[in-house]
Amino acid sequence: ETSLTNGNIQKKNSSQKKLMTAADARKHVDDLETRRRWEPLLRFSNTLLVLPSTTVEGTLKVTRYALIFESASITRTVRLVSIERLSPRRYLLQHRAIEIWRANHTSMLLVLKSTEYSKELWSGLTQLWRRGSLPLIQ
């Protein structure tokens, strides 16, 4: 149960009383919003990040604001606003890769473990594009 008293929010539990100021309440709401913003919408394990000299296997997470590739050795975060173009690609003669060009003139090639996962990622990124977040190349 929560009540508002003299600009403070009072939370009542059966075992304890705790007073939370309005600033604390705003910070709590901001923290929840930040966590919601960065929680993954899509997650793909066994994704390859193809680099010029090697390939790295890891997990790709798609949030509302970024693509996050994590492995034991590296973490790469690409904010959606920094993406200039997307394009489906073939990797080892299979249609299961997506190339991402960024505003800083770099690109990255992400290879998913199957064509179905590639289509699911493409569909998710297409939905973000329809909302005006991403440019797209078919």
Side-chain angles (χ1 to χ4, degrees):
E1 183 180 321
T2 305
S3 64
L4 180 62
T5 313
N6 297 333
N8 292 330
I9 296 175
Q10 185 174 4
K11 290 180 93 173
K12 296 178 184 175
N13 292 340
S14 58
S15 62
Q16 67 181 20
K17 262 186 175 180
K18 185 177 180 184
L19 237 56
M20 185 185 298
T21 66
D24 291 339
R26 279 191 300 275
K27 183 179 180 333
H28 179 71
V29 169
D30 289 345
D31 290 345
L32 291 175
E33 178 63 23
T34 299
R35 269 189 257 136
R36 184 186 70 80
R37 231 182 266 174
W38 291 100
E39 83 183 27
L41 300 173
L42 298 171
R43 181 186 307 256
F44 301 97
S45 57
N46 300 328
T47 301
L48 294 177
L49 172 62
V50 180
L51 301 170
S53 60
T54 186
T55 59
V56 180
E57 186 173 342
T59 301
L60 177 67
K61 298 175 190 172
V62 180
T63 70
R64 288 175 175 82
Y65 296 95
L67 298 173
I68 304 166
F69 179 84
E70 296 175 329
S71 73
S73 58
I74 65 169
T75 298
R76 297 271 170 100
T77 301
V78 178
R79 292 189 170 266
L80 298 182
V81 295
S82 73
I83 295 175
E84 285 191 351
R85 292 184 290 153
L86 296 171
S87 183
R89 292 285 183 233
R90 289 172 37 159
Y91 181 76
L92 299 177
L93 300 177
Q94 296 178 0
H95 295 279
R96 58 187 191 120
I98 293 180
E99 189 167 11
I100 300 168
W101 286 276
R102 300 188 305 177
N104 64 358
H105 305 290
T106 61
S107 68
M108 58 190 299
L109 183 67
L110 296 169
V111 181
L112 292 108
K113 64 181 172 181
S114 72
T115 305
E116 291 79 26
Y117 288 129
S118 179
K119 287 178 183 177
E120 185 179 345
L121 176 59
W122 183 259
S123 173
L125 293 174
T126 303
Q127 289 175 8
L128 290 171
W129 175 74
R130 285 190 184 127
R131 286 190 230 153
S133 302
L134 295 172
L136 193 64
I137 292 180
Q138 291 280 349

